[in-house]
């Protein structure tokens, strides 16, 4: 049994990670400032004696005792991270500095949840970990993209200079139950629009591609990386290599919800990547990992989640 700290633990991925760690018998300290996370994601865990919830902003130092740290704290959707870009950069950079300082004091293994956004609008396809990316440092997405890139640099420096056991994971588009209904991500947007028979909004002609990884598969890959020897530091891509156009996703959602929604097109936002697909060769080799949930199966589970959310409290989805 280990004591594990999860920052951003009330979020979409963090809350599921907390649940999986508890199922393995570990003690879990969940830290979140609830900027985008939702306490309702944790209600079913609050009575567990091995679970502790702390309201805290990682841009300030934290003094706890733990064996491992998963640093997931940061708004991850454009709607949220663009709302306060300065704070987004601070969360990425100051948060990484504070968590790395804590890990160094405790000699704790620490994992950084990085992102496929470090590749920007890539010139190579699929994206391999060795690719340095094509990122606009002063674009509307740069607070997140460059913040995460700097966090990776900090982690690598602590590993080189201090010998700190680090893990870097680059997360590609992930979806599933627990997603924030108003995060502006394409899966949650399409499902909520379809369930309410509203027009489904596609930016551009819909030919841009994404790869969609189901929540359970992503967390499984993350936990496998944490269990690797200290010589395995990453970065390692975790995502689904099956590629779909945004228009294909919209048609799938309309079919699975039996919706009357129509597709409408809006101008493509500036700096929106045209292609995003992971090369997961390293994850297969080093983690014996690959995603196992087909898109339609994952979409059905996510649709059920949002359908229940709409029925129980429509205000969540306004």
């Amino acid at each position: 049994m280990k004591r594990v700290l999860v920052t951003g633990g009330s979020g979409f991925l963090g809350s599921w990670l907390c649940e999986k760690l508890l199922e393995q018998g570990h003690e879990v300290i969940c830290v979140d400032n609830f900027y985008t996370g939702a306490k309702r994601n944790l209600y079913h865990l609050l009575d567990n004696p091995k679970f502790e919830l702390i309201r805290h902003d990682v841009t300030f130092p934290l003094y706890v005792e733990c064996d491992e740290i998963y640093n997931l704290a940061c708004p991850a959707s454009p709607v949220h991270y663009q709302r306060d870009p300065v704070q987004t950069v601070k969360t990425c950079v100051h948060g990484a500095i504070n968590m790395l300082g804590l890990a160094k004091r405790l000699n704790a293994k620490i994992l950084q949840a990085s992102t496929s956004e470090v590749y920007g609008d890539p010139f190579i396809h699929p994206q391999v970990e060795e690719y340095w990316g094509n990122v606009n440092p002063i674009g509307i997405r740069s607070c997140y993209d460059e913040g995460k890139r700097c966090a990776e640099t900090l982690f690598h420096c602590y590993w080189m200079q201090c010998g700190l056991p680090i893990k870097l994971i680059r997360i590609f588009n992930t979806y599933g139950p627990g997603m924030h209904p108003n995060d502006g991500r394409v899966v949650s947007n399409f499902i909520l629009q379809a369930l309410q028979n509203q027009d489904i909004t596609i930016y551009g002609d819909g030919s841009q591609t994404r790869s969609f990884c189901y929540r359970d598969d992503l967390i499984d890959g993350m936990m496998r990386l944490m269990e690797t020897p200290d010589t395995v530091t990453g970065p390692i891509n975790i995502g689904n290599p099956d590629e779909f156009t945004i228009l294909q996703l919209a048609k799938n959602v309309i079919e699975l919800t039996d919706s009357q929604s129509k597709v409408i097109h809006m101008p493509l936002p500036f700096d929106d990547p045209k292609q995003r697909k992971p090369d997961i060769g390293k994850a297969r080799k080093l983690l014996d990992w690959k995603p196992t949930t087909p898109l339609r199966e994952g979409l059905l589970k996510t649709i059920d989640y949002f359908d229940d959310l709409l029925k129980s409290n429509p205000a969540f989805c306004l």
Side-chain angles (χ1 to χ4, degrees), residues 93-261:
V93 178
H94 291 184
I97 290 170
N98 288 328
M99 290 305 107
L100 285 163
L102 177 63
K104 181 183 176 184
R105 178 176 72 82
L106 301 172
N107 194 32
K109 189 184 300 185
I110 181 169
L111 180 145
Q112 167 68 8
S114 190
T115 171
S116 62
E117 294 293 331
V118 301
Y119 299 121
D121 192 3
F123 291 137
I124 68 167
H125 193 74
Q127 291 79 59
V128 295
E129 291 87 349
E130 290 76 17
Y131 178 52
W132 291 356
N134 173 41
V135 176
N136 180 355
I138 55 171
I140 60 173
R141 305 170 74 101
S142 60
C143 59
Y144 184 70
D145 301 1
E146 296 287 39
K148 289 290 190 176
R149 285 163 69 94
C150 184
E152 285 197 16
T153 301
L154 283 163
F155 268 69
H156 189 70
C157 289
Y158 266 78
W159 171 68
M160 287 194 305
Q161 184 173 330
C162 308
L164 190 68
I166 67 160
K167 308 291 177 182
L168 291 171
I169 179 176
R170 289 178 179 162
I171 298 173
F172 282 69
N173 292 66
T174 307
Y175 71 100
M179 294 183 78
H180 195 295
N182 300 314
D183 65 5
R185 299 191 206 193
V186 64
V187 172
S188 51
N189 275 0
F190 285 4
I191 290 175
L192 284 171
Q193 289 168 339
L195 286 172
Q196 299 172 90
N197 292 309
Q198 299 172 351
D199 290 338
I200 287 186
T201 307
I202 289 183
Y203 295 96
D205 62 5
S207 63
Q208 64 269 40
T209 65
R210 297 292 185 270
S211 56
F212 301 101
C213 185
Y214 188 61
R215 171 200 67 182
D216 298 41
D217 292 333
L218 188 284
I219 294 300
D220 176 51
M222 184 182 292
M223 295 174 71
R224 286 179 185 232
L225 177 57
M226 185 63 102
E227 293 305 312
T228 56
D230 290 352
T231 52
V232 179
T233 61
I236 292 182
N237 292 335
I238 297 292
N240 195 324
D242 293 337
E243 191 174 13
F244 294 87
T245 68
I246 298 301
L247 186 57
Q248 285 176 311
L249 175 68
K251 291 178 177 178
N252 269 325
V253 170
I254 290 172
E255 177 190 345
L256 294 173
T257 55
D258 195 23
S259 175
Q260 302 303 309
S261 296

Side-chain angles (χ1 to χ4, degrees), residues 30-45:
C30 171
V31 169
D32 210 299
N33 66 352
F34 301 109
Y35 179 66
T36 58
K39 194 175 290 187
R40 67 176 178 273
N41 290 335
L42 303 171
Y43 283 160
H44 62 297
L45 305 180

